[in-house]
Amino acid sequence: GDGGGGIKMYGGSLSNSIVSNNSTGGTSASGGGILALDGSVTIQNVIVLDNFSIMHGGGAYFHNSNNSTIENCTFSNNVALSDTGFDGGGAIFCNESSIVIDSCIIENNSASRGGGISVRKIGTAGYGIHISNSVVSNNYAFSTAGGMYFDGRYSTSNSIIENVIISNNTGVNTGGVASVFGGNPQIY
């Protein structure tokens, strides 16, 4: 299909793996490394490296994937290419999903918006992401938010950033975290 260059998941778990050097094709392809659709996904102890998406989520794209977890993972050198106004998430793109991200390293990824992570719409659990005990560093946005991007047009205000090192992220317009149209995450 058009998404999930490496792995397409409709729920389930992935652990102790390396997902690398994958890409998506087609004009609407998302999830260069991993595409998680319509189900709860658990990803543990996985390295997501050198993946490419023509649209969203160079490393992973989550759509309607609630109560999902990413734990003890590294997302590095992933790219989401498109720049249509809503695209991004070099490492992770969250759309209509609720994802707990814990003890992860998100580094050296790039995208138009959210070189590291982009949150578009929250999931049914009432939040987009809850990221904790992690590092988001050295990511690049060729538009806005090198580190993390929260788009308030779609109710991302319930996302939580807790005990996260956000460093050396750069972008054409902003570097670390950008929250637009009221998409204000809670930062602890």
Side-chain angles (χ1 to χ4, degrees), residues 120-181:
R120 185 175 185 187
K121 294 182 183 180
I122 65 173
T124 58
Y127 63 93
I129 64 168
H130 180 170
I131 183 170
S132 60
N133 308 312
S134 296
V135 175
V136 178
S137 68
N138 299 309
N139 298 290
Y140 176 73
F142 42 94
S143 178
T144 305
M148 291 185 268
Y149 179 80
F150 297 88
D151 191 334
R153 292 175 283 192
Y154 304 102
S155 302
T156 59
S157 60
N158 290 336
S159 289
I160 298 169
I161 301 169
E162 182 177 13
N163 193 34
V164 176
I165 296 170
I166 302 168
S167 67
N168 299 316
N169 298 288
T170 57
V172 172
N173 296 316
T174 58
V177 176
S179 173
V180 298
F181 304 106

Side-chain angles (χ1 to χ4, degrees), residues 95-108:
N95 187 43
E96 296 183 48
S97 298
S98 297
I99 309 166
V100 171
I101 302 168
D102 185 55
S103 302
C104 291
I105 297 170
I106 298 167
E107 63 182 3
N108 301 315

